Short mmCIF file of all heavy atoms in Angstrom, two decimals:
data_model
loop_
_atom_site.label_atom_id
_atom_site.label_comp_id
_atom_site.label_asym_id
_atom_site.label_seq_id
_atom_site.Cartn_x
_atom_site.Cartn_y
_atom_site.Cartn_z
N GLY A 9 103.70 106.33 119.65
CA GLY A 9 103.81 105.83 118.27
C GLY A 9 104.53 106.83 117.40
O GLY A 9 105.05 107.86 117.89
N PRO A 10 104.62 106.55 116.11
CA PRO A 10 105.32 107.44 115.19
C PRO A 10 104.65 108.82 115.17
O PRO A 10 103.51 108.94 114.76
CB PRO A 10 105.19 106.73 113.84
CG PRO A 10 104.99 105.28 114.20
CD PRO A 10 104.17 105.31 115.46
N CYS A 26 108.83 107.15 115.52
CA CYS A 26 108.40 107.04 116.92
C CYS A 26 109.53 107.51 117.84
O CYS A 26 110.64 106.98 117.78
CB CYS A 26 108.03 105.60 117.26
SG CYS A 26 107.55 105.41 118.99
N ASP A 28 109.76 107.03 120.90
CA ASP A 28 110.00 106.07 121.98
C ASP A 28 110.83 104.88 121.52
O ASP A 28 111.69 104.41 122.23
CB ASP A 28 108.66 105.58 122.55
CG ASP A 28 107.89 106.74 123.17
OD1 ASP A 28 108.53 107.56 123.86
OD2 ASP A 28 106.68 106.84 122.94
N CYS A 29 110.53 104.37 120.31
CA CYS A 29 111.22 103.14 119.92
C CYS A 29 111.96 103.28 118.59
O CYS A 29 112.65 102.36 118.16
CB CYS A 29 110.24 101.97 119.85
SG CYS A 29 109.21 101.98 118.37
N GLY A 30 111.85 104.41 117.91
CA GLY A 30 112.62 104.62 116.68
C GLY A 30 112.01 104.04 115.42
O GLY A 30 112.54 104.20 114.33
N PHE A 31 110.83 103.39 115.54
CA PHE A 31 110.18 102.81 114.37
C PHE A 31 109.82 103.89 113.35
O PHE A 31 109.34 104.95 113.71
CB PHE A 31 108.91 102.05 114.81
CG PHE A 31 108.10 101.53 113.66
CD1 PHE A 31 108.56 100.44 112.91
CD2 PHE A 31 106.89 102.12 113.32
CE1 PHE A 31 107.81 99.95 111.86
CE2 PHE A 31 106.14 101.63 112.26
CZ PHE A 31 106.60 100.55 111.52
N CYS B 26 103.49 97.14 118.28
CA CYS B 26 104.88 97.24 118.72
C CYS B 26 104.99 96.75 120.17
O CYS B 26 104.31 97.28 121.05
CB CYS B 26 105.37 98.68 118.62
SG CYS B 26 107.06 98.87 119.24
N CYS B 29 106.45 99.88 122.45
CA CYS B 29 105.73 101.12 122.79
C CYS B 29 104.23 100.98 122.63
O CYS B 29 103.49 101.91 122.95
CB CYS B 29 106.26 102.29 121.96
SG CYS B 29 105.62 102.35 120.28
N PHE B 31 102.36 100.89 119.95
CA PHE B 31 101.78 101.49 118.74
C PHE B 31 101.15 100.41 117.86
O PHE B 31 101.72 99.35 117.65
CB PHE B 31 102.87 102.24 117.96
CG PHE B 31 102.39 102.78 116.65
CD1 PHE B 31 101.53 103.87 116.60
CD2 PHE B 31 102.78 102.21 115.44
CE1 PHE B 31 101.08 104.37 115.39
CE2 PHE B 31 102.35 102.70 114.23
CZ PHE B 31 101.49 103.79 114.20
ZN1 ZN C 1 107.33 103.36 119.25
#
Side-chain angles (χ1 to χ4, degrees):
Chain A
C26 178
D28 297 318
C29 77
F31 175 72
Chain B
C26 177
C29 79
F31 175 72

